[in-house]
Amino acid sequence: MVFLKRNSYKNNLMKILIIGSGGRENVLAWKIKQSSKYAKLFVAPGNAGTAEICQNIDLDIKDFAKIKDILIEFSIEMIIVGPEAPLVGGLHDYLISIEELRHIIIVGPKKEAAKLEGSKKFAKEFMLKNNIPTAKHQSFTKENIEQGYNYIDNNPSPYVLKADGLASGKGVLIIDNKNEAKRELKEMLLNSKFGEASKMVVIEEFLSGTELSCFIFTDGKGYVTLPFAKDYKKIGENDKGLNTGGMGAVSPVPFVSKDFERKIHERIIKPTMKGIIYGNLEYKGFIFIGLIKVGENPYVIEYNVRMGDPEAEVVIPRIKNDLVELFSTIKNNSLGNIELEIDKRSVATIMAVSGGYPENYKKGYKISGLNRRSESIFFHAGTKIDSDGEVITAGGRVIAVSSYGDNHNEAIKKSYKAIDKIKFKNINYRKDIGFDL
Ligand code: AMP
Ligand code: GLY
């Protein structure tokens, strides 16, 4: 008789680890809990919401050696990497370099492919090479800063200046004035405004249009397109004020007509996948394409190598398939055998944030109203459980309230009704999510 080493292999149930601590990781955990294929679910470091439904493991996500230890200690068979930083830092490559971990399914690309998010220059060159529509651009370093000034002189405003590397969502500046653009270019290149991330700066043409988020899941060979979503990035109503990680989202996106969707597939998704496959990027995981609709045509603003947040809180609830089954296709490139089933209903999410976010804000306020009966789902983002067992605020974005509805109006109305029950000191949320649709 042959004994199988891992008990979970015997009955095909998996031990799964999600890396991250936001609303995105909470919704991924919520969805995996509905799977018939998981044996045990861990989230590291997680938040108060993930602690309710699975086991949190305290962890600094930059500590790859600790992640390795956890994978071995808990006999994990699938790891889902939520945020971009560990992927851009090479977590995937590190894990597969370890003999004992070779069998693990890793959702998230290798370091080279993660440059699609980790380097704006790499992403722009990828698009150029694969004929993917995007804003015209040029890259500069301190060695050719003079050419950067000339570029600004010779091109019309507004100027879009992008730090090449990861800058926590703050590395993009849109500037009307020539002199100010030059000053900022100097700050970025010579005075390390965004540290290492701005050693190189991409300056690009400003595109005017409406943004939307497009998601693909790929096993490295086949791919499926997930529902589109619209994210509300600005802190204030009517899209005023500073950029945030996202104050709310809706899916589907009503202005994506059949014809526009076809253009996205033909001009963007297909060449992106072709570029990945023929460029030997060995990409397995989510690809998030930030798009902008200019006139009737789609252009790529950026690639991300993960799900969006708060887009995940509206996209994942619309996927009817078993998520573990979907992720398992990475093992043997069998995604081609799976048909994606999408819930026809709309989902809207509204993000409750700490007053002061995205600038300075206080943490540690007690949150109430989360246990009230509601048709909506409360996905936790910046929350934790304090020493008295109370749920308290622990970040800028605190709770995403998602609701299903037969149409956008209904979904949005439900989320607003539910968010009204949540109380914590200095709570803030936008009152106009989805009203433009
Ligand atoms: P990114 O980090 O590249 O997504 O840029 C952040 C935000 O800046 C985007 O979501 C857009 O709102 C804006 N943005 C970036 N590039 C452009 C562009 N070429 N034209 C207009 N807006 C842009
Ligand atoms: N909501 C935008 C992002 O996740 O980057």
Side-chain angles (χ1 to χ4, degrees):
M1 179 165 172
V2 181
F3 285 98
L4 291 163
K5 197 169 154 218
R6 283 178 200 83
N7 192 33
S8 48
Y9 270 178
K10 202 157 46 180
N11 45 22
N12 248 344
L13 299 184
M14 286 202 165
K15 292 189 183 150
I16 301 173
L17 171 67
I18 301 173
I19 299 289
S21 60
R24 168 183 49 214
E25 288 72 30
N26 195 167
V27 67
L28 285 167
W30 169 85
K31 181 68 182 165
I32 287 172
K33 289 282 292 189
Q34 296 164 29
S35 168
S36 56
K37 307 256 186 279
Y38 87 97
K40 187 131 204 234
L41 178 61
F42 303 89
V43 183
N47 56 36
T50 59
E52 260 173 35
I53 55 173
C54 48
Q55 184 178 334
N56 281 358
I57 303 175
D58 195 27
L59 171 84
D60 170 359
I61 61 169
K62 293 193 288 294
D63 190 346
F64 291 1
K66 176 90 188 283
I67 295 176
K68 173 200 72 177
D69 291 345
I70 291 168
L71 293 174
I72 294 170
E73 183 184 342
F74 294 99
S75 311
I76 305 284
E77 293 150 288
M78 177 186 286
I79 174 171
I80 301 150
V81 187
E84 66 280 8
L87 296 166
V88 172
L91 177 61
H92 187 135
D93 311 60
Y94 169 77
L95 296 178
I96 55 167
S97 73
I98 296 160
E99 183 68 38
E100 294 166 88
L101 301 180
R102 293 258 162 85
H103 65 284
I104 292 184
I105 296 172
I106 305 174
V107 181
K110 287 188 184 168
K111 188 171 183 166
E112 182 65 15
K115 280 191 190 165
L116 282 172
E117 178 163 2
S119 164
K120 302 276 187 201
K121 181 169 189 255
F122 180 88
K124 293 302 269 192
E125 284 170 359
F126 174 88
M127 288 184 257
L128 217 59
K129 197 158 118 197
N130 293 292
N131 229 342
I132 295 165
T134 188
K136 288 196 212 61
H137 84 288
Q138 230 164 291
S139 331
F140 304 96
T141 59
K142 68 173 193 269
E143 279 73 34
N144 67 350
I145 191 167
E146 288 299 328
Q147 288 173 30
Y149 297 147
N150 288 339
Y151 183 92
I152 292 169
D153 274 330
N154 296 323
N155 283 282
S157 69
Y159 305 98
V160 183
L161 271 54
K162 297 187 172 183
D164 179 63
L166 293 185
S168 319
K170 298 195 171 88
V172 177
L173 304 176
I174 298 177
I175 303 168
D176 281 320
N177 180 283
K178 259 190 212 309
N179 289 331
E180 196 189 332
K182 288 184 195 170
R183 247 192 332 269
E184 286 294 349
L185 181 65
K186 185 174 165 197
E187 279 302 306
M188 288 165 95
L189 289 178
L190 303 186
N191 299 333
S192 313
K193 178 164 181 153
F194 299 109
E196 277 290 298
S198 64
K199 269 174 78 173
M200 180 168 331
V201 172
V202 170
I203 307 185
E204 64 179 47
E205 166 198 19
F206 179 83
L207 298 175
S208 180
T210 313
E211 288 178 60
L212 70 147
S213 306
C214 167
F215 302 95
I216 303 170
F217 175 77
T218 175
D219 63 358
K221 218 163 128 202
Y223 67 92
V224 285
T225 307
L226 310 182
F228 294 102
K230 181 168 169 26
D231 171 27
Y232 292 79
K233 287 201 170 76
K234 300 283 184 192
I235 185 72
E237 273 116 41
N238 298 314
D239 290 331
K240 295 272 172 3
L242 293 173
N243 259 335
T244 68
M247 295 294 289
V250 292
S251 178
V253 181
F255 63 80
V256 178
S257 64
K258 277 268 164 273
D259 186 51
F260 188 60
E261 187 170 346
R262 185 188 52 77
K263 286 178 185 166
I264 295 173
H265 278 282
E266 293 303 321
R267 299 178 192 176
I268 290 165
I269 296 177
K270 280 188 189 168
T272 295
M273 284 310 302
K274 229 165 131 181
I276 282 173
I277 291 166
Y278 291 108
N280 292 319
L281 289 180
E282 293 180 59
Y283 198 119
K284 294 166 196 294
F286 291 106
I287 310 173
F288 164 3
I289 315 180
L291 295 175
I292 187 163
K293 183 176 185 233
V294 182
E296 288 307 314
N297 297 314
Y299 288 77
V300 176
I301 290 274
E302 63 164 353
Y303 286 108
N304 298 297
V305 296
R306 52 176 173 84
M307 273 307 289
D309 192 353
E311 289 97 326
E313 289 93 302
V314 295
V315 170
I316 301 289
R318 294 192 62 221
I319 299 173
K320 287 185 168 175
N321 303 60
D322 184 313
L323 215 54
V324 177
E325 213 170 89
L326 194 68
F327 293 159
S328 296
T329 61
I330 283 178
K331 188 139 196 125
N332 46 12
N333 298 115
S334 56
L335 186 59
N337 304 329
I338 287 198
E339 183 131 7
L340 205 60
E341 266 190 89
I342 300 301
D343 195 319
K344 290 223 163 29
R345 287 175 297 171
S346 297
V347 181
T349 200
I350 320 286
M351 190 67 82
V353 306
S354 299
Y357 172 81
E359 296 184 288
N360 296 333
Y361 57 84
K362 290 210 173 101
K363 302 180 198 174
Y365 295 128
K366 185 174 173 297
I367 308 171
S368 63
L370 292 169
N371 297 328
R372 304 273 281 265
R373 273 180 70 91
S374 169
E375 279 182 78
S376 303
I377 316 159
F378 298 122
F379 294 120
H380 290 230
T383 69
K384 68 176 193 182
I385 300 174
D386 72 3
S387 49
D388 302 326
E390 303 268 17
V391 179
I392 59 170
T393 65
R397 294 193 291 172
V398 178
I399 305 273
V401 181
S402 293
S403 315
Y404 291 95
D406 287 335
N407 52 48
H408 275 337
N409 265 344
E410 199 182 299
I412 292 160
K413 239 163 92 184
K414 277 190 198 164
S415 280
Y416 275 116
K417 195 170 154 207
I419 206 169
D420 198 39
K421 300 197 176 89
I422 300 179
K423 307 280 176 216
F424 58 85
K425 196 172 171 196
N426 295 340
I427 185 173
N428 180 31
Y429 54 87
R430 269 180 69 164
K431 314 291 183 298
D432 67 342
I433 299 301
F435 283 26
D436 55 325
L437 303 175

